[in-house]
Amino acid sequence: MRIAFVATLFSATLPVAAVASADEMNYGQAAALAAKDSATLSVDQLAAIVESESKAWSAVRQHCPEPVRKADFEPFTVIMELDASGKITRTWLKGDTAVAICFNKGLGGQTLAKPPHAPFYASYDMYWQQ
């Protein structure tokens, strides 16, 4: 079995809802911000963030359960809010398997490549290829 990690980049412009505060932001609003921020990255910035995401996911994966049941293999998406240093300060999860929840919790406090501005929102999709 191969595990595929996919950094999701959106080329389309999505509407970004006005948000009163980060505490009130929902998954959809965070995903729209991630799409907007991803569209602003240069090729080099994108490569740096994708590489750092892969390293963070590899570190977190060691502490998460291996998928066993068919339901464990459901794809999931994590939206991450990065501060100016690249530290993940907040996440939003779309998925509810034990593996998804573990990855989401494990990402808290991880550091990715320094983003071009802060806060910066990034999206990461994970799915398995069998």
Side-chain angles (χ1 to χ4, degrees):
M1 169 190 343
R2 273 187 329 176
I3 297 177
F5 301 103
V6 179
T8 303
L9 299 176
F10 300 93
S11 58
T13 303
L14 298 175
V16 178
V19 178
S21 74
D23 290 338
E24 297 173 10
M25 191 181 316
N26 64 36
Y27 176 88
Q29 292 166 324
L33 289 171
K36 181 181 174 213
D37 283 350
S38 294
T40 67
L41 294 174
S42 71
V43 172
D44 291 339
Q45 290 169 325
L46 172 61
I49 287 182
V50 169
E51 182 180 339
S52 64
E53 284 177 337
S54 294
K55 288 179 184 177
W57 284 89
S58 293
V60 170
R61 183 172 183 255
Q62 297 175 24
H63 304 288
C64 291
E66 287 293 321
V68 178
R69 301 171 297 133
K70 184 177 180 177
D72 295 337
F73 289 92
E74 288 296 316
F76 61 89
T77 302
V78 177
I79 307 297
M80 300 163 285
E81 179 184 73
L82 309 179
D83 69 10
S85 69
K87 183 177 179 182
I88 299 170
T89 57
R90 186 159 183 201
T91 63
W92 293 262
L93 175 64
K94 182 180 179 183
D96 60 3
T97 66
V99 176
I101 292 165
C102 181
F103 270 92
N104 186 53
K105 286 181 181 177
L107 284 173
Q110 295 282 334
T111 300
L112 304 182
K114 184 178 177 182
H117 61 84
F120 184 86
Y121 296 86
S123 175
Y124 205 87
D125 289 339
M126 186 170 165
Y127 65 91
W128 286 263
Q129 292 180 334
Q130 300 179 353

